Every structure is written in C-alpha cells, then in structure tokens.
Amino acid sequence: MGPNQNNSLVMNLYIALLATVAMLCLGWAVYAFPAQNTSVGMLLLSCVTVFFGSSLRVQLPRTNMHLTASDALVLFALLTYGGPVAVLVGACEAAFSSFVLRRSGAAMRFQTIIANTSVAAISVFVSAVAIQALFAYQDHGAPTAISQLVVMMLVMGLSQFIAHSVLVSAYISIRTGQKLLQAWNDHCFGAMVIYLTSALLSGLLSRAFDQADVILFASVAMFFAVVYITYKRYTDAVHLSSEKAEKAERDRAEQAEQHISELEHYIQQLEVSSNALRESHEKLHHTVYHDSLTGLPNRNFIVDSLNELLQKRSLTKHDFAVIFLDLNRFKTINDSLGYSIGDELIRTVANRLKSSGTDCKVGRFGGDEFAVIMPRIAAVGDAIALANWINAQVAQPYELLGRQVFASACLGIAISDDRYRDAEEILRDADIAMYNAKELSKSYVVFDQIMHARAVSLLELETDLRLAVERNEFELFYQPIINLGDATLVGFEALLRWNHPSRGLVTPGEFIETAESTGLIIPMTLQILRTACEQLTRWKRARIAPRSLMMSVNLSASHLSQPNLVENLRDLVDETGIDPGCLKLEITESAVMGNAEAVIEVLKKIQRLGIQLSIDDFGTGYSNLSYLHRFPIDTLKVDRSFVSTMEGGSENGEIVRTILALAKALRLSVIAEGIESIHQFHQLRVLGCEYGQGFLFSRPIPTEDATRLLEDPGRWSNILPSEQIQILPGDIEYDELPIQ
C-alpha cells in the first residue's frame, strides 16, 4: 500500500471520527433544546445567522482573514439562548455556507462539507461546555458585571478557537503530511483575532439586548462605524491599486495582443527549427562518432570507450585489450582494381569483424585501419586467440563486384596496465606493435616496452635530424678512389657523417633510413652536394688537385622523383663553379630499376648537364639487362660483398669477372668497392678492373687529411708488383683466366 493510500485511509477515519463526535454534540443539542423558550427572536436570529451571516463579512486590514457576522451571531445565540441553540445554529450555518461555496464553483467535496459542519458543531459545543463549567451559565442572558462578561467573552473566544484550530490543524496535517504544530502555526494561529473579536461583539450585543442601554448601543454602533470606515478606506485603497494594476495589465495585454500573432508565428518557426536542430544534432552526433563508409564507430567513439574502460580499471583492476589492424597491400588493390572495389573490401572486412564477439567493440580509424576492443580478458592469450581469429577471417577470399580478391592483415596488440592514463597512449602502443608486425612480416605482435623505447628513439632521432638540417651539422669524409693500373689517386667519394652535438660523429647507417622515410634526405643531399662541389672547386683553385680529379656523391632514390632535381643540379653547378664532368652521382641499382622508364628520362636530363652517372652496389639488386644498356650511365661499382669474398676461387670471383665483362661490353668503367688486401688489389688488376677503393688505400678521412693526401698522390706505388704482371687486354675471353 502506497503513501497516498495510507493518507486517504487516515483521512477517512479522521472524518468519520469527527462526524461521530459531531452527531453526539447535535444529539445533545436536540435533546437539551429549550422548546419552551422558542420565540420569534430566536427563529429570526437563527435564519439571519444561517442564511446571511457568512455573507456579512469584513476583511481585516492587511490580512487575508475575514470577520463574518455568523461567528459573532453564533456566540450571541450561545449567550442569549443557550448552548443547544448555538450548536444547532453553528452546524446549520457551516453546512449551508459550504453548499453555497460548492454551488459557486469552488472545488469542495462532500467529505469536506461533512468535516466543516462537524468542526463547527464540536467547537461551539466546546465553548458551551467551557462557559457552563466555569460560570454555571444557562440561558439567562449576559452577566451584569463587566469584569465577568469580559472573562466570559475571553473564555468563549479562546475555547472555540482552540477547539476549531486543533481540529482543522489535524485535518491539514493528515492531508498535507505537515507536522501538527507546524500546520497549526501556518494556517490557524492567525485566526485567534477572529474568534476574540466575534466573542467581543457577541458580548456587546448580548449586553445591549439585556439592558437596552442606549450608551452601549451607541458604543456598538460607533465600533461598527469605525470598523466600516476602516474597511471602506482599506477597500478604496485596494480598489484604487487594483484599478491601476488592471489598467497596467490591460496596457500590457494590449501590447501582448499586438504581438501575439507574431509570437505564434515565431513559436511555430522555433518548433520547426528545434526539430530540425534536434535531427541535425542526432545526425552530427552519429557523424562525429561513426564512419560513413562502414557504419562502424570511428576513432572518437573508440577513444571515449577506452577512456571509460581505463576509469573502470582503476577501480576494478579488470584488464582489457586493444587490437590495431592494418590491411596489407590495400593501396595495391586500390591502384589496380579501383576505389570501388577497395571500398567494398573495407565494408566486407568491417562486416566480418563485427562478428568478433558481442562484448567486443569494432571501429574504423580510416583508410584500411581498424581497432577492436576486448573489454575484459583473463590473460594475453585471450587477445592472441582473437587476433588469430581476425587473421583467419580477413584471409578468407572476397567476391567483390565480380572479382575474387585476397587480403591479409598485420595486427598490433596492447594490453591495459597501470601505465596508461588515457586512450591515446594505449592506441599509440597498439599502433607501434602493428608496425612492428609489418616490419617483421608477422600476423600479429604484442606490444612491449622495448618497442616503445625504439619508437621514442626514432622520434628523437627524427627531431635531431630536422635540427641538424637546419643547423647544417653534417660533415663530409672523403674516401680515395684509386686507378688500379698505376695506383694513383683519381677521385674521392664524399661520405656523410653527422656531427651530433652530444653523440659525436654518427655514421649514415644509424640515420639514413629515418632520413629516407621522413623526406629529410632531400635537403640533406642538397647540402652534401653543395659542400662536396665547393670543396673540389677549392682544391682545384688552390692547385692542390689535378683538373681531372673526380668527386662522387650518392644520390637517393627519393631525388629521382623530385620534379626540380635537374634544375637544382644546374643551379649547383653554376653557383659552385665545378666542372660538371668531374661530378659523378652514384645511384643504387634498386633505385634505377624501381620505375625504369621515368628514371631513364631523368638520367638523360642529368647527363645533358655534363654530370657523370654511376650505378652503386651493382650486383646486389635485380637488374633487367634489357634496361641496363638503355641507362645513360658511365660507371658500374662492384659491391664490396663480392670483392671481399672473391679470393680462393669462390663463385663471387666469377660474378666479379662477369660484371667486368658486362661493363666492357657496354663501354662502362668499373670501380671495385671494399678492397682490403693486396691480393684483392692484384686480382682486380689482372681482371682489368680500372678503379677501386677500400681500406687498403684509406678509410674515409676528414677534409684536412684528404688535403694532405692530395699532396702525395703516388703514395700507394709501393703496393704495385715488382715485376710487370700482364693486365688482361680488353679483347681476351674471360673464361680463359682462372681466379686465383
């Protein structure tokens, strides 16, 4: 049973109790009614009190309380005709007034009418009993002594007030739930003045009728006159204020009416705009948190979900996993089959990933990247099992727009721990693990701190490289290139070193890959070229170096795709004053074969500038011989891996001999790299190799040492054989000469 039902039950019981007590009071009044004293005055007083008493009222100034004639007349009947008459008159007046209010439209139930009638009967009965008990008063009129009359009026007013206020307060308390004392103080305490005033009036009237005192009548009349004048002035002031308020209200109403149609129109427009705004907000929210191609949650949604999981983990310590997925060769599919098939592949992969588990959240980050959240795992093996399942799903063939397509993916797994403070950190580590999987050609990799340290190191390296390019912290070392026929210096290869402010000299192997991937190799190479050309020009102008001295500089594959490469080289030659025929650009075999037709055009433009070209590390890549004779190159450089192991009749010796034969057939000069022993030197001389470089002659040396080396160009003549060894002529068949 609810609170409302309890209140209703208590209220019904209370009213029933009131009605029972009231019936007893009325029974007593009927029983004790003085029928022998019935008179015209009694009947007239009763009719006036019942039918007109409540209409004759005066509002007390500055209050919401009214002093009605019925209150005073009921007490007057008590003093004049006794308690039974007063109880009957009071009950009838209360019942009649309640019915009048109900018929006038007031919301008053029969239950309330019964309560009002009962309270009136009981309160008048209490007053009658109080007077009877204190003064043994029957129906003999008012006391003659003024003091006794005053005390009687106080007792009569207070007793009726106490009885009436207690019963009404209890009614209000049951209905509203207020405490009894609080309800009495808020709703009944102020009515004390009404009952005391009514008692005063009834006493004065009773005194006047008993003694027919003119002075008393005059006093009563003067009292009513004062009350009336006060009331009149009060009502006049109220009417004046009301008229002003009504006039102001009418003015405001007229102004409001003038704009009512506009307001209605604006309200309609506002409702339309509100609906459109709500729909737009919903669409925007969906757009912000979902991928348009697949309908999957996007990065924003995944980030918010991960932040929630991290907050929960701080309380529950339940681990979760993030799997970052990237499709392999997706760009190849887009480029070869078109973007329509690429988009269809992405949608199909998304649909397969959706079935990864009801608790898992799958999102697309863009392109061919997806993320899967496992909200709760018991061990790393759970995430690995899901990764294997994802790889199996992705590897299944796809039927896309009439084509069968195959795909695979690399996955990075990151497991939650106390180190993670926000979603970006764990996503970063999952991404790092995914790229490690790509580098290692694995289907998945679980992140560990070594990967993070490596990623941080690479980031620091990239930052330092950018600063190095801005500050020109690079230094060139020069390795001599020797004519193997007479052991004389014919040129240098400029080799890069990074003069790091804290690590000292750093070799290219530690930073070239990062420079290539970040594009920093472009400005780095331009700096290297300028420095090398300026140094060669400086040596020649100082007459330290012969005019034929060559300078070889490595050119990265990235440069070959730069549209302004030829223009930059032309400006470099003009600004440094170098003889373009003394500058040789070395390009790796893999770089020229990557996009052979486009590279051929670029190399031809470079050759027209007079700059020589060389294929570096020849033999280590895949060369298409049909393209090789078309490349406008001047030199082949034999990779050090073949030279270092050509001794002892190994197969690498045969490879060197084949490269030399190929170069002679194409009228190209040959430089052998990595010569470290006199035996290798003599073997290459016998095979007819023209030039060489390696530690046998010199390690890469700084500019100062290279300058001193130029002052003694024949310093290696002591390694020449004491007896003349026949050098292989150009027209002899190479298979006639075994490698020693």
Side-chain angles (χ1 to χ4, degrees):
M1 184 178 292
N4 292 333
Q5 293 177 326
N6 287 332
N7 288 343
S8 178
L9 178 60
V10 174
M11 178 62 73
N12 291 334
L13 292 174
Y14 179 70
I15 292 175
L17 179 61
L18 284 179
T20 302
V21 176
M23 290 300 294
L24 293 174
C25 295
L26 291 172
W28 169 81
V30 172
Y31 176 77
F33 185 79
Q36 68 279 6
N37 295 333
T38 303
S39 64
V40 175
M42 179 190 295
L43 295 176
L44 182 61
L45 176 63
S46 299
C47 291
V48 170
T49 303
V50 172
F51 298 112
F52 303 104
S54 60
S55 300
L56 302 174
R57 63 176 65 190
V58 176
Q59 182 177 5
L60 298 180
R62 307 301 180 186
T63 69
N64 291 323
M65 296 180 292
H66 293 80
L67 178 62
T68 64
S70 61
D71 297 326
L73 293 175
V74 169
L75 295 178
F76 176 70
L78 174 62
L79 291 173
T80 304
Y81 300 107
V85 175
V87 169
L88 291 173
V89 171
C92 291
E93 190 277 333
F96 181 78
S97 299
S98 298
F99 276 109
V100 170
L101 287 174
R102 177 181 172 85
R103 292 190 64 183
S104 65
M108 184 175 291
R109 298 178 300 173
F110 284 106
Q111 190 181 47
T112 306
I113 295 174
I114 294 172
N116 289 342
T117 305
S118 301
V119 169
I122 295 170
S123 61
V124 175
F125 174 78
V126 169
S127 294
V129 171
I131 293 174
Q132 178 67 29
L134 294 176
F135 301 100
Y137 180 75
Q138 295 294 333
D139 52 352
H140 306 297
T144 57
I146 295 298
S147 59
Q148 188 178 6
L149 178 62
V150 171
V151 173
M152 182 180 289
M153 287 187 294
L154 286 174
V155 171
M156 188 167 52
L158 287 175
S159 60
Q160 188 174 16
F161 163 71
I162 292 171
H164 191 278
S165 62
V166 169
L167 295 175
V168 172
S169 299
Y171 179 87
I172 295 173
S173 176
I174 294 171
R175 188 183 65 184
T176 63
Q178 277 186 302
K179 293 183 178 180
L180 180 63
L181 183 60
Q182 183 67 34
W184 182 83
N185 184 66
D186 292 346
H187 301 281
C188 300
F189 178 73
M192 181 187 296
V193 67
I194 295 176
Y195 292 98
L196 292 177
T197 304
S198 298
L200 174 63
L201 291 175
S202 65
L204 293 174
L205 287 173
S206 177
R207 179 86 173 175
F209 273 88
D210 285 345
Q211 299 184 3
D213 191 338
V214 176
I215 297 175
L216 187 58
F217 272 118
S219 300
V220 172
M222 185 174 292
F223 172 77
F224 277 108
V226 171
V227 171
Y228 176 77
I229 292 171
T230 303
Y231 172 72
K232 182 63 176 175
R233 294 189 64 181
Y234 172 78
T235 55
D236 289 344
V238 170
H239 285 316
L240 181 60
S241 300
S242 177
E243 288 176 358
K244 291 181 179 179
E246 288 177 359
K247 186 177 183 302
E249 189 66 26
R250 283 195 302 271
D251 292 341
R252 287 194 293 270
E254 290 174 359
Q255 293 177 358
E257 288 175 359
Q258 293 176 359
H259 300 290
I260 190 68
S261 58
E262 295 180 6
L263 289 175
E264 290 177 350
H265 177 67
Y266 292 153
I267 290 172
Q268 291 176 355
Q269 287 188 335
L270 183 61
E271 290 177 352
V272 173
S273 299
S274 178
N275 292 334
L277 182 62
R278 184 172 59 255
E279 293 176 0
S280 176
H281 181 269
E282 292 173 356
K283 291 179 181 178
L284 178 62
H285 184 272
H286 188 273
T287 301
V288 169
Y289 286 97
H290 289 81
D291 173 54
S292 59
L293 178 62
T294 62
L296 290 176
N298 61 10
R299 182 184 182 91
N300 295 329
F301 184 93
I302 295 297
V303 167
D304 289 350
S305 299
L306 287 174
N307 283 326
E308 291 178 4
L309 286 174
L310 287 170
Q311 291 178 358
K312 291 179 181 178
R313 187 186 181 279
S314 63
L315 302 175
T316 63
K317 299 301 181 182
H318 292 154
D319 285 328
F320 62 91
V322 179
I323 300 177
F324 206 85
L325 179 150
D326 184 88
L327 296 179
N328 297 324
R329 303 184 307 106
F330 179 70
K331 185 177 184 303
T332 303
I333 294 175
N334 263 342
D335 294 343
S336 59
L337 301 180
Y339 287 95
S340 297
I341 290 183
D343 289 347
E344 189 62 28
L345 174 63
I346 292 296
R347 281 191 286 265
T348 307
V349 171
N351 291 332
R352 293 182 182 180
L353 292 178
K354 287 179 184 177
S355 59
S356 58
T358 55
D359 293 336
C360 293
K361 295 180 180 179
V362 181
R364 178 176 179 240
F365 279 24
D368 58 343
E369 294 181 342
F370 295 85
V372 180
I373 301 176
M374 294 186 70
R376 187 166 182 176
I377 60 172
V380 179
D382 296 341
I384 293 175
L386 179 59
N388 288 326
W389 180 88
I390 291 174
N391 274 315
Q393 291 295 313
V394 173
Q396 293 180 14
Y398 300 83
E399 292 292 336
L400 306 175
L401 304 179
R403 290 179 176 271
Q404 189 175 49
V405 178
F406 292 88
S408 62
C410 288
L411 282 65
I413 304 172
I415 308 298
S416 62
D417 60 35
D418 295 334
R419 295 179 297 105
Y420 296 121
R421 293 292 178 266
D422 57 55
E424 295 296 341
E425 293 180 358
I426 192 169
L427 283 174
R428 173 204 64 201
D429 291 349
D431 188 51
I432 291 172
M434 184 269 293
Y435 276 104
N436 271 267
K438 279 186 174 293
E439 291 176 4
L440 301 173
S441 299
K442 291 185 175 181
S443 58
Y444 70 86
V445 166
V446 179
F447 176 81
D448 58 34
Q449 286 303 308
I450 296 176
M451 297 179 195
H452 182 254
R454 180 170 175 267
V456 171
S457 177
L458 287 175
L459 180 61
E460 292 176 351
L461 178 62
E462 179 182 344
T463 302
D464 290 347
L465 269 178
R466 293 186 184 279
L467 294 175
V469 173
E470 294 176 3
R471 300 169 182 171
N472 196 12
E473 294 177 350
F474 300 105
E475 182 178 346
L476 288 184
F477 276 46
Y478 302 93
Q479 187 171 33
I481 299 176
I482 307 300
N483 185 326
L484 299 184
D486 56 8
T488 57
L489 178 66
V490 295
F492 288 103
E493 180 180 2
L495 299 173
L496 181 64
R497 298 292 184 271
W498 178 10
N499 195 359
H500 195 280
S502 60
R503 297 168 57 186
L505 287 178
V506 182
T507 58
E510 298 184 42
F511 61 85
I512 284 296
E513 183 178 352
T514 302
E516 289 274 6
S517 63
T518 58
L520 292 173
I521 193 67
I522 303 298
M524 286 171 54
T525 304
L526 292 177
Q527 289 182 5
I528 295 168
L529 278 167
R530 179 172 297 276
T531 302
C533 292
E534 288 176 348
Q535 184 58 56
L536 182 61
T537 303
R538 194 177 300 115
W539 279 333
K540 289 185 178 181
R541 287 177 179 173
R543 301 184 182 278
I544 298 175
R547 299 187 62 181
S548 60
L549 188 70
M550 299 290 299
M551 180 66 73
S552 296
V553 181
N554 290 286
L555 190 70
S556 70
S558 303
H559 271 89
L560 297 177
S561 60
Q562 295 295 310
N564 57 349
L565 172 61
V566 177
E567 182 179 352
N568 287 338
L569 291 174
R570 183 184 296 109
D571 293 342
L572 185 69
V573 170
D574 293 339
E575 293 170 6
T576 60
I578 190 174
D579 179 2
C582 295
L583 176 62
K584 182 178 292 185
L585 300 180
E586 297 186 2
I587 308 164
T588 61
E589 185 179 2
S590 58
V592 296
M593 295 305 301
N595 188 1
E597 292 295 343
V599 170
I600 288 172
E601 293 302 318
V602 174
L603 295 182
K604 285 181 179 179
K605 292 178 182 179
I606 295 175
Q607 196 176 52
R608 292 191 194 106
L609 297 177
I611 298 174
Q612 296 192 46
L613 298 169
S614 173
I615 299 294
D616 196 12
D617 301 331
F618 186 77
T620 59
Y622 173 74
S623 296
N624 190 326
L625 297 181
S626 64
Y627 276 108
L628 188 59
H629 77 280
R630 294 176 54 195
F631 285 121
I633 56 177
D634 304 286
T635 305
L636 292 180
K637 294 191 74 172
V638 182
D639 187 68
R640 66 181 66 250
S641 61
F642 301 123
V643 174
S644 62
T645 58
M646 64 181 293
E647 302 178 28
S650 67
E651 62 181 12
N652 283 340
E654 298 296 333
I655 292 174
V656 172
R657 182 168 61 180
T658 303
I659 293 173
L660 290 170
L662 177 62
K664 290 185 180 296
L666 296 176
R667 294 184 176 83
L668 304 176
S669 60
V670 179
I671 301 176
E673 296 181 300
I675 303 175
E676 298 181 358
S677 68
I678 295 178
H679 189 199
Q680 293 168 356
F681 169 70
H682 289 307
Q683 283 187 303
L684 290 168
R685 288 182 75 247
V686 169
L687 290 175
C689 183
E690 301 169 85
Y691 307 103
Q693 63 185 97
F695 289 173
L696 175 64
F697 308 109
S698 174
R699 294 177 177 273
I701 54 178
T703 304
E704 296 78 7
D705 293 342
T707 301
R708 286 193 291 270
L709 194 62
L710 285 170
E711 295 173 353
D712 185 16
R715 62 185 303 173
W716 299 285
S717 58
N718 59 340
I719 65 174
L720 291 172
S722 56
E723 298 180 0
Q724 186 66 26
I725 299 177
Q726 181 180 4
I727 305 299
L728 193 65
D731 55 351
I732 192 172
E733 294 294 335
Y734 278 81
D735 56 4
E736 298 179 9
L737 182 66
I739 300 297
Q740 300 296 323

